[in-house]
Amino acid sequence: MSDRFREEQDSMGTVRVPRDALYGAQTQRAVHNFPVSGLRADPALIRAYGHIKRAAAVAHREGGQLSTEVADAIVQAADEVIEGRWNDQFVVDVFQAGAGTSFNMNANEVIANRAAEILGGAGGAYDRVHPNDHVNRSQSTNDTFPTALHLAALDRLVALLPILEALAAALEEKGREFHPLLKAGRTHLQDATPIRLGQEFRAYGAAIRRSISLLQSAGEELNDLAIGGSAVGTGVNTPDGYRERMIRELAGLTGLPLRSAPDLREAMQSRQAVGAMSAALRGLALELIRIANDLRLLSSGPATGLAEIRLPAVQPGSSIMPAKVNPVLAECLNMVGFQIVGNDTAVALAVQAGQLELNVMMPLMAHNLLQSFSILINFLPVFTENCVKGIAADPDRLQGYAHRTAALGTVLNPVTGYLRAAELIKESLATGKDIRTLVLEKKILSEAELDALLDPARLTGEA
């Protein structure tokens, strides 16, 4: 046997494991069996498992199922996992055995081996602290993985919400800054009645705030945990009071309003709450895509497009066209949004794939859901600071479009009737004369009457 490896025994036989690894035989089998993507678990999922294993050790110490010595060593090892100290020891691919058994055992083995070291033992010798008998006591992958998935998603939601609040606030601030600026509205990408540029931006902020509300509603459902259900939701092999102690400990560790699921069978059969959170992220992504597309359109040009606003220039836009600047941050936001929509499709397919007492597709859900959170958390602060806050308006361009839009003829409906107003609009388009000029030339209204009719406060509903 090489000095680089040690031999471990599991229920299937002997496995060679890297000598210095904190993981063990079952993790090593998973590394061999699932060389799929090279992707590893999100740190939020690792932290969540650390919380679960720590809480279980405390619950069993209080219940008398673990000695104080062993429980305390597990607690210390789990705390190190929560701190991220051993993230490099979580080596199972995100595409793995169904239900996440490989990942659960990766956590059990890392914590067991580290706890053994704390007690003065060596890695791979499980006589003091055993991955299954001690670290995984009263647990199953079937209740720990859905619990960890909920905890990890809630952890990421807590991180995302203030970022979204900052984005909404930045859009609303632009709404206040741009309030005086009248512009041509557009529906079907065709001229429509005027609107304020500030109203457009305030509406973007309102859309983000609606997404925040929907995410919070989805997060409320994730507070229901499957822990204590054990293998099929019946709580087999769990001692009295264990579930209650677990919920209490997890709530204390995370600061979240956690509770036991009303029906532990449902909590293991169904991943409906995860699907709802993924759908809420998809809804947010769709709004972000829409807003990014609007910003790209409104800033198109600068000489041959709408060019009503200018996005901050953050990098050269072309390797061949000098001085070209592209809306790269909005483009990146589009791609982030597309990825989230794709992730949600994968989550949706996994959510519907549950069978009888368990949905085994949870590792796929975890990877896609947590990736959606991560790319938003990573990029939205950049988009807010380096794009939204630096947006500038072109008042002359806005005013020119607002005065030239033939849709201003709409306000003549009460004066001339729909058909006569339509004739004026057609004449405006054919001659290039704006509506104001035509109305005065034809003496339909006096200048004072027309000024009152075209008052921006009347046109936009706001002074």
Side-chain angles (χ1 to χ4, degrees), residues 1-7 16-21:
M1 175 64 65
S2 166
D3 289 341
R4 294 171 50 218
F5 295 94
R6 67 177 187 261
E7 284 192 349
R16 297 174 72 205
V17 179
R19 180 167 297 281
D20 295 331

Side-chain angles (χ1 to χ4, degrees), residues 118-409:
I118 291 166
L119 294 176
Y126 298 123
D127 53 322
R128 300 289 299 277
V129 186
H130 195 278
N132 299 83
D133 297 336
H134 297 127
V135 182
N136 197 62
R137 190 180 187 94
S138 304
Q139 302 156 63
S140 165
T141 301
N142 301 352
D143 68 342
T144 59
F145 204 99
T147 298
L149 178 49
H150 283 210
L151 293 177
L154 287 167
D155 174 277
R156 298 293 76 199
L157 179 62
V158 168
L160 177 62
L161 288 177
I163 292 171
L164 291 175
E165 290 281 352
L167 173 58
L171 291 166
E172 290 162 349
E173 178 57 33
K174 285 297 168 183
R176 289 185 287 272
E177 178 186 339
F178 296 152
H179 179 76
L181 302 177
L182 194 67
K183 58 163 287 179
R186 296 180 182 88
T187 59
H188 302 264
L189 291 181
Q190 305 298 304
D191 294 348
T193 54
I195 189 173
R196 295 177 187 272
L197 182 62
Q199 289 175 316
E200 282 186 335
F201 274 80
R202 278 162 38 211
Y204 296 149
I208 299 303
R209 293 204 180 277
R210 184 181 295 276
S211 292
I212 290 172
S213 178
L214 293 171
L215 285 164
Q216 289 172 325
S217 295
E220 173 63 23
E221 295 299 314
L222 291 175
N223 287 314
D224 287 343
L225 301 184
I227 197 68
S230 187
V232 295
T234 60
V236 65
N237 286 355
T238 61
D240 290 342
Y242 165 76
R243 183 182 5 158
E244 292 76 14
R245 289 193 292 271
M246 284 294 290
I247 296 295
R248 182 199 69 208
E249 286 299 313
L250 289 171
L253 286 168
T254 62
L256 296 168
L258 305 173
R259 55 186 177 258
S260 182
D263 187 318
L264 294 182
R265 275 68 58 186
E266 182 273 340
M268 292 166 67
Q269 293 172 1
S270 173
R271 297 272 60 80
Q272 186 174 180
V274 173
M277 177 55 73
S278 180
L281 287 171
R282 180 200 64 215
L284 167 64
L286 295 177
E287 290 302 303
L288 293 172
I289 292 166
R290 178 181 66 82
I291 292 167
N293 285 341
D294 276 6
L295 296 180
R296 292 169 62 198
L297 184 60
L298 292 172
S299 65
S300 60
T304 60
L306 294 181
E308 293 182 344
I309 63 172
R310 294 185 299 276
L311 304 182
V314 297
Q315 65 183 54
S318 174
S319 62
I320 188 172
M321 292 177 280
K324 191 173 190 295
V325 176
N326 296 331
V328 293
L329 294 176
E331 291 167 347
C332 183
L333 185 57
N334 279 147
M335 288 185 270
V336 167
F338 300 160
Q339 183 64 52
I340 292 168
V341 172
N343 286 348
D344 177 65
T345 299
V347 171
L349 290 172
V351 166
Q352 62 83 43
Q355 296 170 317
L356 301 177
E357 273 58 67
L358 185 67
N359 187 317
V360 303
M361 305 302 174
M362 291 181 288
L364 181 70
M365 297 179 210
H367 170 61
N368 284 277
L369 183 67
L370 296 177
Q371 185 192 63
S372 293
F373 273 116
S374 291
I375 57 180
L376 288 168
I377 290 167
N378 291 341
F379 183 64
L380 284 183
V382 177
F383 181 75
T384 299
E385 291 297 321
N386 296 348
C387 183
V388 174
K389 289 186 176 181
I391 294 173
D394 186 331
D396 293 337
R397 192 94 168 191
L398 290 161
Q399 186 177 43
Y401 285 146
H403 288 168
R404 290 204 309 273
T405 176
L408 275 176

